[in-house]
DNA sequence: CTCGTTGATGAGACCAAGTCTCGTCACCGT
DNA sequence: ACGGTGACGAGACTTGGTCTCATCAACGAG
């Protein structure tokens, strides 16, 4: 038998989502989250840098996936095709487990300005990573920024719709569809 | 003679920018900022909700200006023309005083992840306010979001170039120019 | 002129986030 | 058998942020 129960990190994430949803993010203390996970405050901060990050850990992975996908697109691909490749590659992050947690996470984040702030920061990182990957492909500056912005917007819109159980399409299909709509709106803009 | 020196709020802003720039944002305590302004920590928090906001106060005004400008555009205006009107209207916020503080502010914000987080949040608010104003004009959803995103990107790019003293064009001219470039990139996107 | 009100501030207690140091002890390789 | 490793607990400590209460110049009513 192990000295400590395994998956301390996962237990912390679950405890945090549960408590934040039950009684609210602001009134929940880190000590409470740690206690529900069978740990202490000090250990919480060994796994996460702050009280917010426990909800967003794993999203650095999204940046990596988007950048990898864009970089791996064939040489002749247009910027938009590279963004599509990035979204396809990011599909790897969207497991059924994520789908189950999505709505609860969205609700909790929506309830707190502090959490929305972190979400905005993560989104900015996503856009920066994707724009960087496009620039490394030789896409010139204003185009790379616009394409990355559309890609990240599609990424988030698709995630929102993916969480609605009424829509049974795969995340990849939803992302392609959102990107197509955004691109159409952009080219038609006057 | 007044009981208190006037402009407590402004003194706090100046003290904060100075100290954050001199010795770094993270190692500066709110008590130090208040002391340099001739006040106490409690009074700091009467003027600003937290340690970060002292650098961003006044930016809610930007959302208001953008929304007002977009709402005031003539009835027949296209979405892009409404965004242009919004940027023109926001010109009111860019005084010579702002121009002098801009580069220092940018440097301080760039030095701290916590401050970049707040900046990303403010940007998201700007985009949401502009998109809302466009939707109220009857612009349908994906188009409003894309136009707002381009507008906010132009807003920030113009502010960056406006801070470079090498470029003597007015903020309004710079913003129109940036928006034009971004729009061109968007319509040419493949 | 006097007096009560107003409102910005100071003083300081208080809580929680986040940091840091030190001690513990199962596990693992030698 | 034994020393090293690493995840964890305990608890002190700093600082961001909140709250309550006291202070006192300005101001207006009488």
């Amino acid at each position: 038998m192990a000295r400590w129960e395994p998956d301390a990190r996962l237990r912390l994430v679950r405890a945090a989502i549960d408590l934040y949803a039950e009684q609210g993010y602001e009134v929940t203390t880190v000590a409470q989250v740690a206690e529900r996970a069978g740990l202490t405050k000090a250990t919480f901060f060994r796994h996460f840098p702050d009280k917010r990050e426990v909800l967003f850990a794993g999203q650095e992975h999204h940046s990596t996936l988007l950048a990898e996908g864009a970089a791996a697109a064939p040489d002749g691909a247009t910027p938009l095709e590279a963004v599509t490749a990035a979204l396809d590659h990011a599909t790897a992050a969207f497991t059924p487990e994520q789908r189950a947690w999505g709505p609860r996470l969205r609700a909790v984040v929506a309830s707190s300005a502090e959490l929305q702030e972190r979400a905005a920061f993560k989104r900015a990182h996503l856009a920066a990573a994707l724009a960087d990957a496009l620039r490394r492909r030789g896409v010139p500056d204003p185009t790379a920024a616009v394409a990355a912005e559309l890609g990240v917007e599609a990424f988030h819109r698709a995630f929102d719709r993916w969480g609605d159980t009424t829509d049974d399409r795969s995340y990849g299909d939803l992302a392609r569809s959102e990107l197509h709509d955004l691109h159409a709106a952009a080219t038609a803009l006057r």
Side-chain angles (χ1 to χ4, degrees), chain A residues 7-92:
Chain A
D7 303 321
R9 196 182 164 91
L10 185 59
R11 265 155 43 216
L12 284 169
V13 172
R14 276 201 274 252
I17 294 183
D18 286 349
L19 282 171
Y20 294 172
E22 279 174 24
Q23 61 185 20
Y25 166 78
E26 277 131 19
V27 302
T28 303
T29 70
V30 171
Q32 286 176 335
V33 174
E35 189 188 6
R36 177 166 296 200
L39 298 166
T40 63
K41 190 182 76 159
T43 300
F44 178 98
F45 287 110
R46 282 192 189 97
H47 286 277
F48 304 100
D50 59 52
K51 186 184 173 185
R52 298 163 280 295
E53 195 63 15
V54 65
L55 298 184
F56 296 94
Q59 296 205 0
E60 316 85 46
H61 192 212
H62 295 168
S63 307
T64 309
L65 287 173
L66 283 181
E68 280 176 2
D75 270 6
T78 65
L80 209 68
E81 287 166 351
V83 171
T84 304
L87 291 173
D88 282 346
H89 193 61
T91 297

Side-chain angles (χ1 to χ4, degrees), chain A residues 8-187:
Chain A
R9 196 182 164 91
L10 185 59
R11 265 155 43 216
L12 284 169
V13 172
R14 276 201 274 252
I17 294 183
D18 286 349
L19 282 171
Y20 294 172
E22 279 174 24
Q23 61 185 20
Y25 166 78
E26 277 131 19
V27 302
T28 303
T29 70
V30 171
Q32 286 176 335
V33 174
E35 189 188 6
R36 177 166 296 200
L39 298 166
T40 63
K41 190 182 76 159
T43 300
F44 178 98
F45 287 110
R46 282 192 189 97
H47 286 277
F48 304 100
D50 59 52
K51 186 184 173 185
R52 298 163 280 295
E53 195 63 15
V54 65
L55 298 184
F56 296 94
Q59 296 205 0
E60 316 85 46
H61 192 212
H62 295 168
S63 307
T64 309
L65 287 173
L66 283 181
E68 280 176 2
D75 270 6
T78 65
L80 209 68
E81 287 166 351
V83 171
T84 304
L87 291 173
D88 282 346
H89 193 61
T91 297
F94 295 95
T95 65
E97 185 186 33
Q98 290 295 317
R99 186 167 185 168
W101 287 5
R104 302 188 62 197
L105 250 175
R106 267 207 305 276
V108 171
V109 171
S111 75
S112 154
E114 215 174 310
L115 293 174
Q116 293 174 257
E117 202 167 338
R118 178 59 52 87
F121 194 43
K122 295 290 180 178
R123 186 197 159 113
H125 267 301
L126 237 56
L130 186 50
D132 255 25
L134 291 175
R135 277 187 225 104
R136 262 191 284 276
R137 292 180 60 85
V139 179
D141 175 52
T143 303
V146 170
E149 216 39 77
L150 292 184
V152 171
E153 181 72 18
F155 179 91
H156 282 97
R157 287 179 176 235
F159 183 69
D160 286 351
R161 292 187 54 183
W162 186 62
D164 296 349
T165 47
T166 58
D167 200 329
D168 272 350
R169 284 185 287 169
S170 76
Y171 176 81
D173 286 348
L174 289 168
R176 279 172 174 268
S177 161
E178 293 291 345
L179 183 62
H180 176 269
D181 290 353
L182 289 168
H183 177 230
T187 53

